[in-house]
Amino acid sequence: MTAGDTNGRLDDDDYPAYTMGRAAEILGTTQGFLRAIGEARLITPLRSAGGHRRYSRYQLRIAARARELVDQGTPVEAACRIVILEDQLEEAQRINEQLRRSQPGDRADA
């Protein structure tokens, strides 16, 4: 891999650039927390050729939100479910907005 190959990936939110140790350090949490949210299926880290977990920036943002909830006293599994539902709601709202914009004419009374 050349430096040119890497530069494009550094801007990619989905590129698995962070090891478990580095991800835990960035989040200010433990590797056990990352394993727990993985077991709860909140995030699924990619695996390196050697089998090590690798996390993307997008996954770190999701993990950070879960950690906020856990820090407020929410159990890990419940926090993961909340984050999943928040993500689904955000996606549904985005799709609804796209559909509204694609509708011919503005129907304010509907």
Side-chain angles (χ1 to χ4, degrees):
M1 180 182 298
T2 66
D5 294 336
T6 304
N7 288 336
R9 292 181 180 163
L10 293 177
D11 293 332
D12 183 356
D13 269 358
D14 295 319
Y15 181 69
Y18 302 97
T19 63
M20 178 179 268
R22 181 68 179 129
E25 181 181 319
I26 289 169
L27 295 171
T29 190
T30 65
Q31 292 181 16
F33 174 78
L34 291 172
R35 283 188 206 93
I37 63 174
E39 289 171 10
R41 297 184 181 160
L42 178 61
I43 57 176
T44 303
L46 284 113
R47 297 283 182 153
S48 68
H52 300 281
R53 291 174 179 91
R54 304 286 292 195
Y55 298 88
S56 68
R57 289 189 304 197
Y58 173 75
Q59 289 173 322
L60 294 184
R61 284 195 300 273
I62 296 292
R65 175 64 181 131
R67 180 168 183 241
E68 287 175 17
L69 292 168
V70 169
D71 287 349
Q72 294 170 5
T74 306
V76 171
E77 293 223 357
C80 291
R81 186 68 183 138
I82 290 167
V83 173
I84 289 167
L85 291 170
E86 287 174 342
D87 194 50
Q88 289 173 344
L89 175 60
E90 184 179 316
E91 177 68 9
Q93 289 172 331
R94 186 188 62 75
I95 291 168
N96 284 340
E97 183 60 30
Q98 286 177 341
L99 290 171
R100 278 190 212 107
R101 290 181 184 175
S102 69
Q103 294 290 321
D106 185 26
R107 297 171 42 190
D109 57 35

